[in-house]
Amino acid sequence: EREYKVLDELYKVKARVPKPLGRSRHVVVTEFIEGIELYRYKEAINPLEILRKILETIRKAYLDVGVVHGDLSEYNVMIQVSNGNEEPYIIDWPQFVEKDHPSAPQLLERDVNYVIKFFKKRYRVDISRELALKYVKGEVDEI
């Protein structure tokens, strides 16, 4: 129920998450994302743009919905490619925490660091972790 609710809130603010369709007991049903997991996506067309979109969703989650994913990595991002457009979707939100949770600052920093580190290693996209963190917190408007 908790994951469904947060997905619904995230979807309403146009965060890049699958559209939640329903839930029953411990199962959340979302729209099917025809894509590939980020960790398997070797030949990105525009990795910097993918990274920006991921950080934008982290920002919307934090600022608009008031949550932190808490377990974000290349394993929780799906990439959908259509007509040369790469659209990332952040999945697997059951471990999210509210932004006022005592662990939220550390989890947010870890989420951002994991993503930045992956893009640097895989695609040689190097952006400042500090700037990315300021962006997702709303302290700066651009990366």
Side-chain angles (χ1 to χ4, degrees), residues 6-7 19-20 22 24 26-27 29 31 36 40 48 85 88-89 92 100-101 106 111 114 125 142-143:
V6 81
L7 278 173
K19 180 180 181 180
S24 178
H26 302 292
V27 176
V29 178
E31 70 178 318
I36 184 170
R40 295 178 187 222
L48 179 58
N85 184 38
Y89 291 86
D92 293 338
D100 60 356
H101 186 279
Q106 294 87 357
D111 285 352
Y114 277 172
V125 171
E142 291 184 16
I143 303 171

Side-chain angles (χ1 to χ4, degrees), residues 89-102:
Y89 291 86
I90 298 179
I91 61 171
D92 293 338
W93 289 82
Q95 296 174 331
F96 81 89
V97 297
E98 304 287 338
K99 78 186 235 183
D100 60 356
H101 186 279

Side-chain angles (χ1 to χ4, degrees), residues 1-12 15-31 61 65 67-72 75-78 89-98:
E1 180 178 350
R2 170 174 193 270
E3 183 179 12
Y4 177 84
K5 285 181 180 178
V6 81
L7 278 173
D8 190 50
E9 290 180 44
L10 289 163
Y11 190 79
K12 286 177 183 174
R16 290 177 173 87
V17 297
K19 180 180 181 180
L21 301 175
R23 66 168 187 83
S24 178
R25 297 184 190 179
H26 302 292
V27 176
V28 175
V29 178
T30 67
E31 70 178 318
V65 179
V67 298
V68 174
H69 187 283
D71 190 32
L72 188 59
Y75 298 96
N76 294 340
V77 178
M78 296 288 297
Y89 291 86
I90 298 179
I91 61 171
D92 293 338
W93 289 82
Q95 296 174 331
F96 81 89
V97 297
E98 304 287 338

Side-chain angles (χ1 to χ4, degrees), residues 7-139:
L7 278 173
D8 190 50
E9 290 180 44
L10 289 163
Y11 190 79
K12 286 177 183 174
V13 298
K14 297 183 177 22
R16 290 177 173 87
V17 297
K19 180 180 181 180
L21 301 175
R23 66 168 187 83
S24 178
R25 297 184 190 179
H26 302 292
V27 176
V28 175
V29 178
T30 67
E31 70 178 318
F32 180 73
I33 302 296
E34 182 83 36
I36 184 170
E37 298 94 341
L38 179 59
Y39 77 95
R40 295 178 187 222
Y41 193 53
K42 307 285 187 206
E43 301 297 325
I45 300 165
N46 189 343
L48 179 58
E49 186 60 24
I50 296 171
L51 177 56
R52 283 187 175 139
K53 290 176 180 179
I54 291 169
L55 292 172
E56 180 183 17
T57 290
I58 298 170
R59 178 184 170 110
K60 285 182 180 189
Y62 188 75
L63 296 178
D64 299 344
V65 179
V67 298
V68 174
H69 187 283
D71 190 32
L72 188 59
S73 71
E74 63 272 20
Y75 298 96
N76 294 340
V77 178
M78 296 288 297
I79 304 295
Q80 186 177 60
V81 181
S82 178
N83 300 323
N85 184 38
E86 299 162 310
E87 205 60 45
Y89 291 86
I90 298 179
I91 61 171
D92 293 338
W93 289 82
Q95 296 174 331
F96 81 89
V97 297
E98 304 287 338
K99 78 186 235 183
D100 60 356
H101 186 279
S103 298
Q106 294 87 357
L107 292 171
L108 181 65
E109 187 172 346
R110 186 179 73 180
D111 285 352
V112 170
N113 285 342
Y114 277 172
V115 172
I116 298 291
K117 182 179 175 183
F118 175 81
F119 273 81
K120 183 175 183 176
K121 182 177 179 184
R122 170 66 58 87
Y123 303 117
R124 296 191 174 134
V125 171
D126 191 13
I127 68 169
S128 162
R129 291 176 189 207
E130 294 78 17
L131 181 60
L133 194 57
K134 285 182 179 183
Y135 172 74
V136 300
K137 289 179 173 180
E139 296 170 5

